[in-house]
C-alpha cells in the first residue's frame, strides 16, 4: 500500500516535471519535503517496484513527424513473439502489440509507424515486411488525433 505522502508524490510526478532549473525541488516544496527527502522517497518507491519508469512524451508533430499509421500484420501465432520483437526494434515503430486473431480479422501484430510523410510510413512497412517475411499487412493512416494522454492515478476531484 502507498502512504498518503507517496500518493501525493505520484500525483505530482504524473503531471510532468516543471520547466525549472530544479524541478524536483519545486515538487518537493509542493508535497512538503526537502529535495533530498523527495529523492529518497522516490528512490525507495522505485526499489519497491511502485514506480517502474519515468518517461518523456514529445509531440512528434512538432518535430516534423506528421504522418503515422497503424500497420496490422497477419503473423502466425507461433511466430508472433519473434516477429513482434524484430518489428519493435525499428526506431520508426513507437508501439508494437500482439493481439488475438479473429475470424473476420486475421491480424495478430499491430505496430504504429511514424514518418514525415505517408510515403515514409509505407517505406517502413515495406522494410518490416522484407525483414520479417510477413507480406500480408494493411496500413491504417490516422486522419485526426482525438485524444492522447497518459494514465493518471489517484485523481483528486477537480484535477
Amino acid at each position: 500500500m502507498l502512504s498518503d505522502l507517496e500518493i501525493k508524490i505520484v500525483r505530482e510526478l504524473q503531471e510532468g516535471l516543471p520547466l525549472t532549473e530544479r524541478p524536483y525541488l519545486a515538487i518537493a516544496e509542493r508535497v512538503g519535503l526537502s529535495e533530498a527527502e523527495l529523492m529518497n522517497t522516490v528512490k525507495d518507491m522505485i526499489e519497491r517496484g511502485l514506480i517502474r519508469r519515468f518517461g518523456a512524451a514529445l509531440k512528434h508533430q512538432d518535430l516534423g513527424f506528421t504522418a503515422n499509421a497503424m500497420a496490422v500484420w497477419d503473423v502466425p501465432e507461433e511466430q508472433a513473439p519473434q516477429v513482434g520483437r524484430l518489428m519493435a526494434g525499428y526506431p520508426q515503430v513507437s508501439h508494437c502489440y500482439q493481439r488475438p486473431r479473429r475470424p473476420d480479422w486475421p491480424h495478430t501484430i499491430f505496430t504504429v509507424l511514424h514518418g514525415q510523410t505517408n510515403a515514409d510510413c509505407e517505406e517502413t512497412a515495406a522494410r518490416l515486411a522484407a525483414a520479417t517475411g510477413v507480406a500480408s499487412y494493411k496500413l491504417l493512416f490516422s486522419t485526426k488525433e482525438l485524444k492522447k494522454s497518459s494514465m493518471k492515478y489517484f485523481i483528486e476531484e477537480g484535477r
Side-chain angles (χ1 to χ4, degrees):
M1 295 298 292
L2 276 76
S3 69
D4 290 342
L5 174 62
E6 290 169 334
I7 290 171
K8 284 172 72 173
I9 291 170
V10 168
R11 285 181 177 141
E12 291 295 330
L13 290 175
Q14 72 190 2
E15 294 303 318
L17 297 179
L19 297 176
T20 66
E21 189 173 321
R22 295 179 62 190
Y24 293 103
L25 176 60
I27 292 171
E29 290 171 349
R30 289 200 297 262
V31 298
L33 296 175
S34 70
E35 186 176 27
E37 289 170 323
L38 172 70
M39 298 308 296
N40 287 335
T41 304
V42 169
K43 182 180 176 188
D44 178 65
M45 293 172 74
I46 291 168
E47 290 171 356
R48 291 170 36 215
L50 300 174
I51 296 175
R52 292 187 303 209
R53 68 180 178 93
F54 285 87
L58 299 174
K59 292 184 177 179
H60 60 274
Q61 298 92 337
D62 292 346
L63 300 174
F65 294 91
T66 56
N68 63 69
M70 178 177 290
V72 294
W73 305 84
D74 183 359
V75 179
E77 283 84 355
E78 65 276 2
Q79 295 175 9
Q82 177 185 354
V83 169
R85 279 191 295 277
L86 182 62
M87 289 180 171
Y90 278 68
Q92 300 88 344
V93 175
S94 64
H95 298 73
C96 185
Y97 300 98
Q98 180 179 355
R99 301 204 172 165
R101 184 180 305 277
R102 302 283 182 224
D104 58 342
W105 188 253
H107 306 95
T108 55
I109 297 290
F110 292 62
T111 57
V112 179
L113 312 177
H114 297 276
Q116 294 181 317
T117 65
N118 284 1
D120 290 342
C121 295
E122 291 165 353
E123 289 172 22
T124 297
R127 284 198 309 277
L128 290 171
T132 61
V134 179
S136 179
Y137 66 92
K138 295 183 186 305
L139 288 176
L140 309 169
F141 285 95
S142 298
T143 56
K144 185 176 182 181
E145 186 174 285
L146 302 174
K147 179 182 179 183
K148 184 175 186 175
S149 63
S150 297
M151 183 64 186
K152 301 281 184 172
Y153 302 95
F154 311 112
I155 305 293
E156 288 186 284
E157 204 60 39
R159 252 189 127 171

